Amino acid sequence: LAAGADPLQELLERVGRVARDSEGLLRQLVGSERRFRALAKSVWQVQEEERRRLARELHDGLGQDLTALKNQLELLVREVGGGGAGNAAGKDGLEPGGPAARGLAARLAGAVEIAARALHDTRELSRLLRPPILDDLGLVPALAWLSRTLGESAGLEVRVTSHGVDGRLDPDLEILVFRVAQEALTNVLKHSGARTADLLLLRHHGWLEIDVADAGRGFDPVQALDSTVDAAGSGLRGMRDRLELFGGRLRIQSAPGEGTRVHAAVPLPADEGPG
Ligand SMILES: Nc1ncnc2c1ncn2[C@@H]1O[C@H](COP(=O)(O)OP(=O)(O)OP(=O)(O)O)[C@@H](O)[C@H]1O
Ligand SMILES: [Mg+2]
């Protein structure tokens, strides 16, 4: 009986080899997954940093030029329309207070309005790209600001409530949760038909949770989250994928005619633990 020819022994060895191989593969897979997550996270961070830079450039560059333009135009309106001493238009042959001067003043006033609107839009765009209040004061004040902005600019009333979330949180989580609120509320505005929404933020057993609800027309979330359907937008899927990078999860309760509730939860780092 040759020892090497024992079929059972051979089989056992083979099973052992396969087990060792698959363990190695699994380790590699876990390693790749971890590297992939780290990479995806840093892509996200770079993207957010880029938004912050762009927001500042918009505010300080274009915003300041528009402010200067508006001021210049306002001075001209006063000079042309005012008619008083030092009236430049008068020297140039425009009769102060005459019909020509009044017409010019009206057109300049129109230009002031356009400049003011462009300035307002530029500032709002800059803040939406990256609200400074989020970096300066944190999540709850930033959500209150977002609610005010949506009320003023789009007529959507957002009722914000928060529990146990005072002070600052991990900066990445603050941005992550702010983006969830921003996307969910933009969806309410774009798709739901509702004019009000409720936003709840709370800290619960080491998790940070956010809930955005509307009583609008609702939809089928399974279809909206299906990555094989091209026609669907990318807002909800992007939200879900980003939350998963941070160990969080997204739940959507909705059905046609039933309103919508978007619930996101993300674990807080250990030192920001149960609150
Ligand atoms: N609050 C809501 N009420 C009604 N329908 C909604 C609501 N939120 C999302 N939906 C539906 O789900 C779809 C997918 O939403 P999602 O945010 O992923 O994409 P989008 O808003 O269409 O586009 P994007 O977010 O990329 O600009 C929407 O097109 C809409 O039909
Ligand atoms: Mg969307």
Side-chain angles (χ1 to χ4, degrees), residues 147 156-161 181 184-185 188 194-201 210-215 260-262:
S147 140
L156 179 71
E157 188 200 338
V158 184
R159 292 176 291 238
V160 180
T161 318
L185 290 171
V188 173
R195 286 346 287 153
T196 57
D198 287 287
L199 187 156
L200 172 67
L201 182 74
I210 183 168
D211 198 277
V212 178
D214 69 69
T260 300
R261 180 178 291 275
V262 171

Side-chain angles (χ1 to χ4, degrees), residues 183 187 190-191 235-236:
E183 172 59 28
N187 278 352
K190 278 203 310 193
H191 308 297
L236 291 174

Side-chain angles (χ1 to χ4, degrees), residues 80-170:
V80 173
N87 187 320
K91 285 180 221 133
D92 290 341
L94 262 185
E95 192 197 331
R102 279 206 303 276
L104 187 57
R107 273 156 64 194
L108 281 172
V112 169
E113 247 172 60
I114 295 172
R117 218 162 38 235
L119 178 62
H120 173 268
D121 290 354
T122 302
R123 287 190 172 145
E124 188 167 287
L125 184 63
S126 164
R127 289 195 199 102
L128 287 171
L129 266 173
R130 175 67 175 230
I133 194 172
L134 182 60
D135 295 310
D136 297 342
L137 300 179
L139 189 53
V140 174
L143 291 175
W145 165 79
L146 182 64
S147 140
R148 267 200 318 279
T149 301
L150 288 171
E152 282 162 16
S153 67
L156 179 71
E157 188 200 338
V158 184
R159 292 176 291 238
V160 180
T161 318
S162 76
H163 284 299
V165 194
D166 336 290
R168 302 305 299 265
L169 301 163
D170 176 89

